[in-house]
Amino acid sequence: SYKKDVNKESSILTENQTQLLNNADVALERSLSLPWKKRYGELKSFVKDNGHARVPRRFLSNPSLGRWVHTQRQMHKRYAEGDPSSKMVAYRIQLLTIAGFEWNLRRSQPWETSYEELVIYVVEFGHARVPKHFFSNRPLGIWVRNQRQSYIKYKNNASSSSMTEDRIQLLEKVGFEWVLP
């Protein structure tokens, strides 16, 4: 709270300005609802654990966080377009940006995003054998299948393969199996 008397010296703020600033702080604090604060805390923990804020939309370890992150991006997009129905406010944008939030994931490479989802899958399930029709993240199952197909093309020197030695090493690092039993 803003005080009229800081360190026994007079403040340059008038009593009215001090009250307005205190009211603004209270209003700002109220604008961050308890559920929002909780998810924001979970996002900061995710960033601390993973080194980035790209929580998968279908985050198996915390589905609510994955949905919340997706919703923040949607609200931010509507906010940027001037849509008055957006519940996004500048202060939330600032907090999320400070936490390392990426507003547009299309700038990220899709391969790396899917790889990160695979790493999360491996942590949760103890293996990298994602089923092709993985219910909670169907795109991940398809991506895993595509990696196997791309690997075969790569080994056959096909120019249409997107596989690289670096990608092979990353996949093998998490126990990726190129041929399933």
Side-chain angles (χ1 to χ4, degrees):
S1 117
Y2 298 90
K3 297 180 181 174
K4 181 77 173 147
D5 183 23
V6 179
N7 296 330
K8 305 275 183 195
E9 296 176 18
S10 295
S11 170
I12 59 170
L13 298 176
T14 67
E15 190 67 39
N16 189 37
Q17 289 172 319
T18 302
Q19 187 60 43
L20 286 171
L21 286 171
N22 285 332
N23 290 345
D25 273 357
V26 169
L28 186 58
E29 184 65 23
R30 286 183 186 148
S31 75
L32 297 175
S33 66
L34 266 159
W36 197 94
K37 287 181 195 174
K38 179 181 179 191
R39 296 289 174 255
Y40 180 70
E42 291 171 355
L43 174 67
K44 291 193 317 187
S45 294
F46 180 92
V47 170
K48 184 179 176 188
D49 294 344
N50 296 282
H52 62 79
R54 294 181 306 274
V55 180
R57 184 173 179 185
R58 295 182 179 138
F59 184 41
L60 299 175
S61 300
N62 186 342
S64 296
L65 179 61
R67 286 189 302 270
W68 181 83
V69 164
H70 177 73
T71 299
Q72 299 312 299
R73 284 193 185 95
Q74 288 179 320
M75 287 193 307
H76 179 265
K77 182 179 178 186
R78 290 199 317 257
Y79 174 86
E81 293 169 350
D83 184 342
S85 71
S86 172
K87 295 179 182 174
M88 184 57 67
V89 293
Y91 188 68
R92 287 182 178 182
I93 293 170
Q94 183 180 15
L95 286 174
L96 291 166
T97 301
I98 289 168
F101 201 84
E102 294 179 43
W103 297 104
N104 185 355
L105 286 184
R106 293 176 198 248
R107 288 186 212 140
S108 300
Q109 296 216 13
W111 193 93
E112 288 149 351
T113 301
S114 296
Y115 177 76
E116 289 167 3
E117 290 181 9
L118 176 64
V119 170
I120 291 167
Y121 179 93
V122 169
V123 168
E124 185 161 338
F125 293 97
H127 62 79
R129 295 180 306 275
V130 182
K132 184 171 115 180
H133 299 290
F134 182 47
F135 177 73
S136 29
N137 189 346
R138 185 173 163 82
L140 180 61
I142 293 168
W143 180 84
V144 164
R145 182 195 67 206
N146 290 343
Q147 298 316 295
R148 289 191 181 96
Q149 291 172 347
S150 188
Y151 177 78
I152 291 167
K153 289 179 183 177
Y154 178 80
K155 289 299 182 183
N156 291 327
N157 293 318
S159 61
S160 64
S161 174
S162 61
M163 189 56 62
T164 65
E165 283 298 322
D166 288 340
R167 289 179 176 182
I168 291 169
Q169 288 176 1
L170 283 170
L171 289 165
E172 289 178 346
K173 184 177 176 182
V174 296
F176 195 84
E177 297 174 48
W178 300 106
V179 178
L180 294 178

